[in-house]
Each structure stands twice: as C-alpha cells, then as structure tokens.
C-alpha cells in the first residue's frame, strides 16, 4: 500500500499515517514469519545436501568395515553438530522476530536503535512465542529513552462530527422569522 494511493482518495495526512501504521504492523508480523521459515528451509536444505554428498562418498569409499565404522561415527557426530547449529540459528531467528514484533506493537519509531539498547543476555524466548524479560526492558527504555516511542496520549481518536451551519448560534429560533412568529402566538 502506498501513500500516493491514499492521498488520491482524498484522505487527510493523520488518517493516512494511521492507516500506514496499522498496515506496517500486519506486514511486519508476516515478514517475521517468512524470515523464520526461510531460515529453517535453508538449514534443512544444507543438511540434505551434506547428507547426500556424505552417502555418495561412503559408497565410493566402501573399504574395510573398521574404516566404514569410523567414517559413519564421524558423520553421525557431524550431523548432530549441524542439527544443533540449525536449532540454535532457528531459535535466534525466532527470538529476533518476536522482539521486532513486540517493538512494532509498542510503536517503536526506530527498531534498530531500540534493539541496540537491549540486554540480550536477559532475554529468553518462551514456548508461547513471547520474550521473557522484554516487558521490563521496554518499560525501562520508555522511561530513559522515550523519544524512541510515540507519546502516549489519552486522546479520543474518534472524529468530531459537526452540524452544518454556523456552530456559534445555538438557538436558531432568534434568527428564524417563522419561529419568531410562532412564539408570538403561543
């Protein structure tokens, strides 16, 4: 969605900003899921390629059984190492996506600058997808570096609807000749 499209519809700048903000929140959620899935896909593709090449080399080098056992043990340890690396990378990607999503929901003006102020050693991704320890750090950041977040105003964002005509005259009977005549006979 582009601002030019919304401006072409005749919307005010404040309305366009609100629409773009909400649209950004929904797209950021989807982007984080896509990034997570791409990381997982790349890791799995790398593992499959490595396994295929290892199996081919074993077929070619099918020497003595003791050599084969040694090679198999080495490959198994390599696979376990790759799998743990893959899990670590995936967990890191999920943590980063959850942090970015939380910053987006809080309305952070600059996610990269806000991330730089976090203490990642105190953060942990929970099983439900939330980041443990992030709320405390966010509260601290809002106090110390409030310029990174929009001001929290308690305003009513609903549009103000005004009746047509002159809003300064509340009693139209004084200006209406028909109402004046009617009042005269009552």
């Amino acid at each position: 969605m582009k601002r030019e499209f919304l401006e072409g519809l005749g919307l005010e700048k404040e309305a366009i900003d609100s629409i773009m903000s909400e649209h950004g929140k929904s797209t950021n959620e989807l982007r984080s899921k896509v990034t997570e899935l791409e990381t997982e896909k790349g890791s799995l593709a790398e593992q499959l390629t490595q396994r295929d090449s290892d199996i081919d080399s074993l077929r070619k080098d099918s020497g003595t059984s003791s050599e084969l056992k040694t090679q198999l043990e080495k490959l198994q340890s390599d696979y376990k190492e790759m799998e743990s690396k893959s899990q670590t990378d995936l967990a890191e990607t999920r943590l980063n996506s959850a942090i970015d999503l939380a910053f987006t929901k809080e309305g952070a003006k600059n996610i990269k600058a806000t991330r730089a102020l976090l203490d990642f050693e105190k953060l942990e991704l929970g099983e439900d997808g939330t980041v443990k320890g992030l709320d405390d750090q966010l509260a601290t950041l809002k106090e110390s570096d409030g310029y990174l977040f929009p001001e929290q105003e308690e305003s009513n964002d609903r549009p103000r609807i005004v009746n047509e005509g002159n809003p300064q005259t509340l009693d139209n009977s004084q200006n209406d000749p028909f109402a004046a005549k009617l009042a005269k006979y009552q």
Side-chain angles (χ1 to χ4, degrees):
M1 183 177 301
K2 296 187 177 186
R3 286 184 177 276
E4 293 80 24
F5 173 74
L6 296 174
E7 289 170 356
L9 295 175
L11 295 175
E12 294 181 12
K13 182 181 181 332
E14 294 83 20
I16 292 173
D17 290 341
S18 297
I19 291 170
M20 293 303 287
S21 173
E22 286 300 314
H23 180 67
K25 288 179 184 177
S26 63
T27 57
N28 282 340
E29 289 181 32
L30 294 175
R31 283 184 192 149
S32 67
K33 289 180 183 177
V34 167
T35 303
E36 183 178 316
L37 291 173
E38 285 175 346
T39 302
E40 186 175 3
K41 178 188 171 261
S43 174
L44 292 173
E46 182 181 320
Q47 286 179 10
L48 283 175
T49 305
Q50 182 65 35
R51 286 184 183 175
D52 290 344
S53 67
D54 290 344
I55 289 172
D56 288 341
S57 69
L58 278 177
R59 285 183 184 150
K60 292 176 186 175
D61 299 333
S62 59
T64 64
S65 65
S66 64
E67 290 176 7
L68 193 57
K69 284 183 179 180
T70 306
Q71 284 180 341
L72 282 173
E73 289 173 2
K74 181 185 179 299
L75 289 176
Q76 285 176 340
S77 68
D78 289 347
Y79 292 147
K80 287 180 182 178
E81 190 176 306
M82 279 190 350
E83 186 178 353
S84 73
K85 182 185 178 294
S86 172
Q87 292 297 327
T88 303
D89 290 346
L90 186 59
E92 183 179 336
T93 302
R94 285 183 177 158
L95 177 68
N96 289 332
S97 295
I99 290 171
D100 289 347
L101 187 60
F103 284 153
T104 302
K105 286 182 180 178
E106 289 293 323
K109 293 180 180 178
N110 187 340
I111 292 178
K112 287 183 181 180
T114 310
R115 285 178 63 88
L117 298 172
L118 288 179
D119 184 4
F120 283 92
E121 292 178 4
K122 295 181 181 177
L123 298 178
E124 182 181 331
L125 185 65
E127 291 181 19
D128 58 350
T130 59
V131 181
K132 296 177 183 175
L134 184 62
D135 292 336
D136 297 333
Q137 289 191 35
L138 269 174
T140 305
L141 281 176
K142 284 182 180 180
E143 288 177 19
S144 65
D145 299 302
Y147 61 89
L148 292 171
F149 299 93
E151 293 181 22
Q152 301 294 329
E153 297 178 4
E154 299 234 359
S155 66
N156 190 355
D157 290 339
R158 289 184 276 158
R160 198 179 97 198
I161 300 174
V162 181
N163 292 334
E164 292 182 6
N166 188 357
Q168 294 176 352
T169 59
L170 297 177
D171 187 15
N172 289 335
S173 65
Q174 295 173 355
N175 296 334
D176 187 10
F178 179 73
K181 289 230 183 225
L182 185 62
K184 185 177 178 183
Y185 292 111
Q186 289 180 349

